[in-house]
Amino acid sequence: MEKRWVQAVQGNKEIIDSLAQQLNIDRSLAQILVHRGVTSFDEARDFFRPQLSDLHDPFLMKDMDKAIDRIDRALATQEPILIYGDYDVDGTTSVALAYSFFKHFTENITYYIPDRHKEGYGISTQGIDYAKEHGYTLIIALDCGIKSVDKVSYAQSLGIDFIICDHHLPGDELPAAVAVLDPKRNDCTYPFKELAGCGIGFKLAQAYCLRHHIPAEKYEQYIDLVMVSAAADIVPILDENRILAYHGLLKLNSKPCMGLKALMQSAGGDKVFTLTDVVFTLAPRINAAGRMDHASEAVKMLICDEDGEALEQSSFINLHNTERKTTDQLTTAAALAMIGDCEILMNRKTTVVYNQSWNKGVIGIVASRLTETYYRPTIVLTHSNGFLTGSARSVPGFDLYEALLSCADLLEQFGGHKFAAGLTMKPENMQIFSDRFERVVADSIPEHLLRPEINIDAEISLSQIEGKFQRILAQMAPFGPGNLAPVFVSHQVYCVGIPYIVGSKHLKLTIKQENSITFDCIAFNQSDYLKDLPQHKPFSVCYTIEENVWKEQRRLQLNIKAIRIEN
């Protein structure tokens, strides 16, 4: 499917020119900064040099004082505490952070991760029963719980208190917990709403240290875990998240926790990790534990304090990741064949597919792959404990959560965000749900959202790309949602030499413009262009600029996102 090229409007010329002059940078870079809300020297300083001292006061979060009061009471009496979390990257890093932090203050603490296959997402009855059976009377739940009204009520009846640290959208009713920490609460005035679950846990640790005048290093040591969770959960890398990601990466690349260090080594990571490396190298491995076995294995690795044990645990998780890759590739192929063989599915504006034998641990990955292929809201379902359980993914610009809300009466439960969600339904509701979901989406989604687009930040000539330009560009990192790596467009470029295919579907080429040096390029999954690229005629390219390291040699490389050949 050919992508639409959407170029950003230039913006206020006077502000752009002034910022370029103040910072002594290329005007195209100043234009990108202004588009991202950086309009003055002081704002540029804060953007390029994020400071931990600029983190918000955690007590601005609704119920934070109640949470710390309840934890103080528990620690004062050596009351047993259970740290409870979800089985994904955000959940396991949250649990690792909270458990490791509070273990400094009590020995009466353990953690619990629900089994993805047996218990499902969120607070489970089994988890509460475990707490009761083992004498835990305070549960701190992270990255889940905001909709667990009935489960928290059940825990209350057993004499168990809850502190909920979540970042998902609340329902109409909040659980009757001692404290509910969630910036997305309607009555929470916390200045930043987009922390990941581990970020909420970090704020809890920060608040505890502030209350008791404990040095900041006590909670800041876990900032690499917070960064990993933010990267994996695809939260906007803005405001506090930018500060946490920036300093988390510094720690990851200098003195990471032993678990992450071991995982980097087992993944062959003898390099400087970026946020993108975390998303595509570390996060899938951490997730693999919960997908293929039990997520507590990931927590074990993340809380290790001995190198040998951490390496052993990371090797175990690497094996799970290899198994996960095979499973998700086979499931994706089966799902694509299912769609391709059905004219009705092919012609819909949504994808809803089901197979009772699909592994519940990989259906989220498969949903993402199907969305990439057909570019429309997608739900992948499998059978689990008498119900159909599924993962949903959307396309940029369409609110998936609102669409599911319109089908809520057909669902046993659902939760998530605009672009990703989980859901459970009775088997007999599947066809009715599929038809209604299609109708809701078809009636509300604009046609242009069903075609992928490339958002272009600026048009530049290749001659603008030189050392200083790239150094300034690199300082705009970490890149992620809200601050994506800038995409440039250049016209009238020519091939130098003969393009060729690497791997099975990636295109390597060298390009130049008149009066520019040559640039090596990689165009992933674009081998189809090989037969169309003109040898002596100009064409246009969209690309990001990156540094390619090969055999310890560093060289600028253009990562081509799209090619347009003029007729």
Side-chain angles (χ1 to χ4, degrees), residues 367-422:
S368 295
R369 301 212 196 289
L370 297 185
T371 304
E372 290 169 7
T373 302
Y374 288 101
Y375 212 75
R376 59 196 187 191
T378 297
I379 298 174
V380 179
L381 296 156
T382 189
H383 191 270
S384 178
N385 299 321
F387 292 94
L388 302 191
T389 185
S391 284
R393 297 293 183 269
S394 191
V395 293
F398 184 75
D399 193 330
L400 177 70
Y401 188 87
E402 282 296 318
L404 291 175
L405 205 56
S406 299
C407 307
D409 58 303
L410 299 173
L411 302 174
E412 297 303 298
Q413 63 179 29
F414 72 98
H417 310 283
K418 287 183 178 180
F419 302 129

Side-chain angles (χ1 to χ4, degrees), residues 309-469:
E309 183 185 356
L311 276 170
E312 183 180 342
Q313 197 65 26
S314 68
S315 297
F316 182 61
I317 282 175
N318 243 359
L319 289 174
H320 282 315
N321 191 51
T322 302
E323 181 187 358
R324 186 272 307 166
K325 284 182 185 176
T326 301
T327 303
D328 89 55
Q329 287 168 359
L330 291 172
T331 307
T332 299
L336 287 170
M338 187 182 295
I339 298 166
D341 291 342
C342 178
E343 188 175 350
I344 293 174
L345 286 177
M346 285 290 291
N347 293 326
R348 285 194 161 199
K349 293 188 176 179
T350 63
T351 297
V352 179
V353 289
Y354 161 71
N355 186 303
Q356 66 176 10
S357 67
W358 286 342
N359 187 313
K360 183 180 176 183
V362 302
I363 56 175
I365 301 172
V366 175
S368 295
R369 301 212 196 289
L370 297 185
T371 304
E372 290 169 7
T373 302
Y374 288 101
Y375 212 75
R376 59 196 187 191
T378 297
I379 298 174
V380 179
L381 296 156
T382 189
H383 191 270
S384 178
N385 299 321
F387 292 94
L388 302 191
T389 185
S391 284
R393 297 293 183 269
S394 191
V395 293
F398 184 75
D399 193 330
L400 177 70
Y401 188 87
E402 282 296 318
L404 291 175
L405 205 56
S406 299
C407 307
D409 58 303
L410 299 173
L411 302 174
E412 297 303 298
Q413 63 179 29
F414 72 98
H417 310 283
K418 287 183 178 180
F419 302 129
L423 62 152
T424 304
M425 72 181 79
K426 292 177 180 176
E428 58 266 29
N429 285 344
M430 183 195 160
Q431 192 57 55
I432 305 171
F433 168 82
S434 179
D435 291 341
R436 190 193 295 178
F437 183 66
E438 166 68 17
R439 191 166 62 251
V440 168
V441 173
D443 289 347
S444 59
I445 192 167
E447 279 296 325
H448 72 271
L449 293 185
L450 294 170
R451 183 181 166 195
E453 67 181 27
I454 296 179
N455 291 298
I456 300 165
D457 291 275
E459 178 183 341
I460 62 172
S461 64
L462 296 182
S463 60
Q464 288 175 256
I465 306 171
E466 40 74 45
K468 181 181 177 182
F469 187 97

Side-chain angles (χ1 to χ4, degrees), residues 147-373:
K147 284 189 164 184
S148 301
V149 175
D150 56 338
K151 299 297 193 298
V152 172
S153 178
Y154 172 61
Q156 270 190 323
S157 73
L158 300 178
I160 299 170
D161 285 342
F162 260 93
I163 293 171
I164 290 173
C165 306
D166 206 349
H167 69 121
H168 296 98
L169 288 166
D172 294 333
E173 180 185 356
L174 292 177
V178 171
V180 178
L181 307 179
D182 188 338
K184 292 189 175 75
R185 286 177 59 165
N186 289 333
D187 59 349
C188 182
T189 58
Y190 191 73
F192 184 58
K193 304 294 184 182
E194 300 298 336
L195 289 166
C198 192
I200 308 294
F202 182 82
K203 301 306 290 189
L204 183 69
Q206 181 189 18
Y208 185 83
C209 288
L210 287 174
R211 169 76 64 88
H212 296 285
H213 307 291
I214 297 169
E217 291 79 11
K218 201 71 170 179
Y219 64 87
E220 288 175 357
Q221 65 181 302
Y222 304 109
I223 202 165
D224 48 354
L225 293 175
V226 185
M227 175 275 299
V228 169
S229 78
D233 232 46
I234 321 294
V235 294
I237 307 301
L238 304 169
D239 200 282
E240 273 194 312
N241 282 341
R242 179 168 173 80
I243 298 171
L244 295 167
Y246 179 90
H247 287 278
L249 280 169
L250 289 178
K251 185 171 187 298
L252 185 77
N253 287 303
S254 58
K255 194 178 179 182
C257 71
M258 288 186 182
L260 290 177
K261 179 182 177 182
L263 195 63
M264 292 161 75
Q265 291 174 349
S266 64
D270 185 20
K271 62 175 183 176
V272 175
F273 271 66
T274 66
L275 217 58
T276 301
D277 295 321
V278 172
V279 171
F280 291 106
T281 303
L282 300 186
R285 286 168 166 78
I286 296 171
N287 256 332
R291 294 187 192 282
M292 310 311 297
D293 186 13
H294 200 289
S296 61
E297 298 296 336
V299 178
K300 281 183 192 174
M301 178 190 70
L302 294 172
I303 65 174
C304 279
D305 53 13
E306 293 181 5
D307 280 334
E309 183 185 356
L311 276 170
E312 183 180 342
Q313 197 65 26
S314 68
S315 297
F316 182 61
I317 282 175
N318 243 359
L319 289 174
H320 282 315
N321 191 51
T322 302
E323 181 187 358
R324 186 272 307 166
K325 284 182 185 176
T326 301
T327 303
D328 89 55
Q329 287 168 359
L330 291 172
T331 307
T332 299
L336 287 170
M338 187 182 295
I339 298 166
D341 291 342
C342 178
E343 188 175 350
I344 293 174
L345 286 177
M346 285 290 291
N347 293 326
R348 285 194 161 199
K349 293 188 176 179
T350 63
T351 297
V352 179
V353 289
Y354 161 71
N355 186 303
Q356 66 176 10
S357 67
W358 286 342
N359 187 313
K360 183 180 176 183
V362 302
I363 56 175
I365 301 172
V366 175
S368 295
R369 301 212 196 289
L370 297 185
T371 304
E372 290 169 7
T373 302

Side-chain angles (χ1 to χ4, degrees), residues 61-76:
M61 196 175 294
K62 181 77 173 176
D63 280 2
M64 185 63 80
D65 53 343
K66 295 178 183 176
I68 299 302
D69 287 345
R70 182 63 182 87
I71 291 170
D72 280 345
R73 198 166 85 238
L75 296 179

